[in-house]
């Protein structure tokens, strides 16, 4: 028969775990929208860099204090851009924040994508934007993934 002390410790652990789980009931993931995409004037040599405008929407009642983020853009499963940025703005409760990040090209992913483009003729391509937001606190990271298709203009 278990001792009274062991039972009390077990009950205390269960209470602590259920308390942590209820700290933010109804928490929703932030949404990340790409608002602009342009070649950076700071590109060095033959390695282009891109400025990507982002908008982070916070659907929660508490502010989202962004410590930093890492991100990547894949086209047809090939990573073509990636980067990281710290010192991001705080997103107010039920609000949004706009900022610009810089991404570098991934040489091997870009070469694989070009090989795929030359081997199969098509006008539509799938992309995936992945971001990992460091928000500190109870949830140190929030992973966001947006996928879609884009079509090349005819007559390429």
């Amino acid at each position: 028969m278990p001792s009274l002390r062991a039972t009390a410790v077990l009950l205390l652990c269960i209470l602590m775990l259920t308390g942590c789980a209820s700290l933010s009931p109804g928490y929703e993931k932030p949404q990340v929208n790409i608002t602009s995409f342009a070649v950076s004037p700071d590109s060095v040599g033959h390695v282009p860099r891109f400025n990507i405008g982002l908008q982070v929407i916070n659907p929660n009642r508490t502010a989202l204090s962004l410590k930093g983020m890492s991100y990547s853009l894949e086209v047809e499963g090939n990573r073509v851009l990636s980067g990281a940025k710290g010192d991001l703005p705080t997103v107010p409760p039920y609000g949004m924040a706009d900022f610009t990040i810089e991404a570098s090209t991934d040489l091997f992913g870009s070469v694989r994508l070009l090989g795929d483009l030359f081997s199969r003729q098509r006008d539509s391509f799938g992309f995936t934007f992945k971001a990992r937001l460091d928000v500190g606190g109870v949830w140190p990271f929030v992973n966001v993934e947006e996928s879609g298709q884009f079509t090349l203009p005819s007559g390429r």
Side-chain angles (χ1 to χ4, degrees), residues 17-32:
L17 287 174
T18 57
C20 290
S22 65
L23 283 176
S24 290
Y27 179 83
E28 291 183 49
K29 271 187 178 182
Q31 181 179 340
V32 178

Side-chain angles (χ1 to χ4, degrees), residues 104-135:
S104 301
T105 55
D106 182 317
L107 177 65
F108 293 118
S110 299
V111 168
R112 284 190 297 271
L113 177 61
L114 286 174
D116 187 35
L117 291 175
F118 288 127
S119 67
R120 299 185 298 180
Q121 292 292 323
R122 60 180 166 213
D123 294 327
S124 180
F125 300 91
F127 72 89
T128 303
F129 176 77
K130 296 178 182 177
R132 185 173 190 190
L133 303 169
D134 180 358
V135 296

Side-chain angles (χ1 to χ4, degrees), residues 37-151:
F37 192 89
V39 175
S40 173
D42 298 333
S43 295
V44 180
H46 299 296
V47 180
R49 291 185 178 205
F50 297 89
N51 289 333
I52 303 170
L54 293 182
Q55 180 181 69
V56 176
I57 300 171
N58 180 7
N60 298 292
R61 67 173 75 158
T62 58
L64 189 62
S65 180
L66 299 175
K67 308 295 183 218
M69 69 183 292
S70 60
Y71 41 88
S72 66
L73 177 69
E74 296 177 0
V75 177
E76 291 298 313
N78 299 294
R79 181 180 291 177
V80 293
L81 296 174
S82 60
K85 183 172 174 96
D87 193 29
L88 296 172
T90 297
V91 185
Y94 302 113
M96 58 186 128
D98 294 297
F99 53 92
T100 302
I101 58 174
E102 189 174 75
S104 301
T105 55
D106 182 317
L107 177 65
F108 293 118
S110 299
V111 168
R112 284 190 297 271
L113 177 61
L114 286 174
D116 187 35
L117 291 175
F118 288 127
S119 67
R120 299 185 298 180
Q121 292 292 323
R122 60 180 166 213
D123 294 327
S124 180
F125 300 91
F127 72 89
T128 303
F129 176 77
K130 296 178 182 177
R132 185 173 190 190
L133 303 169
D134 180 358
V135 296
V138 178
W139 290 277
F141 296 103
V142 176
N143 294 310
V144 177
E145 186 172 312
E146 297 288 332
S147 298
Q149 294 277 121
F150 67 90
T151 304

